[in-house]
Amino acid sequence: MDTKAIERHVLGILEAIGEDPNREGLRETPQRVAKMLEEVLEGVAYNNHDIAKMFGKTFTNECAYDSDNAVVMKDITVFSYCEHHMALMYDMKVNVAYIPRGKVLGLSKIARICDMAAKRLQLQERLGQDIAEIIAEAADTPDVGVSISGCHSCMTARGIRNASSKTVTTTFRGEFRNNPELRDLVKFDEMKANV
């Protein structure tokens, strides 16, 4: 990431909106913004395959393949930035489930995969697809379900300014596509009540 270019552009934005970039509160803002973007958009440097390799630590699963033996992790907290407005997507919760086929991921790896996939300019729909793709590769299983619920500041802080709106997206692969009971494992409680 070219942090020096980010600094120059942030300085230009400050000037363009009519701010004085030399006033005390703004003098170091270009550097702070560059450092922040380097951190919160770290995932831009990696494709899904890279992330699967990075967090693909698995353990042998002694259980025979069975759709009743799903691994489920709920309420993984992430945030991201919308690629349309570079606006914050916040209060995001990710539910992930997969059916092991001989391998299980370390539990922290599931959360790390979600976090790294979110550290890109994203769409919530694509984030779910990215997480499902990475989990499928890392755990070597075609059976993955992902649900994401989140708020988008492009909806809550600008435009329509609907502060209570939430967006929920789902991605189902393999057995999760056709089995409602498996899909229910990753759905949020409010989704189950409305289906």
Side-chain angles (χ1 to χ4, degrees):
M1 193 170 293
D2 189 345
T3 56
K4 291 299 178 193
I6 294 170
E7 290 176 24
R8 287 191 305 276
H9 291 294
V10 170
L11 180 66
I13 289 170
L14 290 172
E15 291 170 343
I17 64 173
E19 272 287 359
D20 175 7
N22 291 313
R23 73 175 172 86
E24 185 179 345
L26 294 178
R27 265 185 233 131
E28 296 175 15
T29 295
Q31 294 85 1
R32 285 191 294 263
V33 171
K35 187 173 182 178
M36 178 199 72
L37 289 176
E38 188 174 42
E39 178 183 336
V40 301
L41 296 178
E42 178 186 4
V44 170
Y46 307 103
N47 62 35
N48 288 350
H49 175 70
D50 295 334
I51 297 170
K53 284 177 58 178
M54 191 182 316
F55 301 119
K57 174 69 175 168
T58 60
F59 303 93
T60 302
N61 178 23
E62 302 299 329
C63 300
Y65 164 72
D66 183 343
S67 63
D68 289 335
N69 290 330
V71 175
V72 182
M73 191 170 226
K74 292 192 170 194
D75 294 329
I76 301 165
T77 304
V78 300
F79 68 90
S80 193
Y81 289 86
C82 159
E83 69 181 28
H84 295 149
H85 300 96
M86 293 182 71
L88 183 64
M89 297 190 295
Y90 61 97
D91 286 344
M92 295 180 83
K93 300 284 185 194
V94 182
N95 293 345
V96 176
Y98 71 95
I99 300 171
R101 296 200 180 218
K103 298 178 186 176
V104 291
L105 284 166
L107 292 177
S108 70
K109 303 306 185 230
I110 297 169
R112 290 179 188 280
I113 286 168
C114 295
D115 181 63
M116 188 61 77
K119 287 182 173 179
R120 303 167 170 167
L121 294 178
Q122 274 288 17
L123 298 174
Q124 185 171 317
E125 302 88 336
R126 188 175 61 234
L127 177 57
Q129 293 168 5
D130 286 346
I131 291 168
E133 181 180 312
I134 295 164
I135 296 283
E137 181 179 341
D140 197 19
T141 180
D143 308 311
V144 182
V146 178
S147 289
I148 303 174
S149 173
C151 299
H152 296 236
S153 59
C154 56
M155 282 280 296
T156 62
R158 60 160 299 282
I160 193 162
R161 292 188 182 106
N162 190 318
S164 63
S165 68
K166 276 195 182 253
T167 300
V168 178
T169 56
T170 58
T171 302
F172 300 121
R173 293 173 159 229
E175 295 285 332
F176 285 84
R177 283 191 176 167
N178 302 316
N179 187 328
E181 290 177 12
L182 286 174
R183 288 195 300 272
D184 279 349
L185 292 175
V186 295
K187 287 183 177 177
F188 295 94
D189 289 336
E190 61 270 16
M191 291 172 67
K192 292 179 191 175
N194 295 328
V195 175

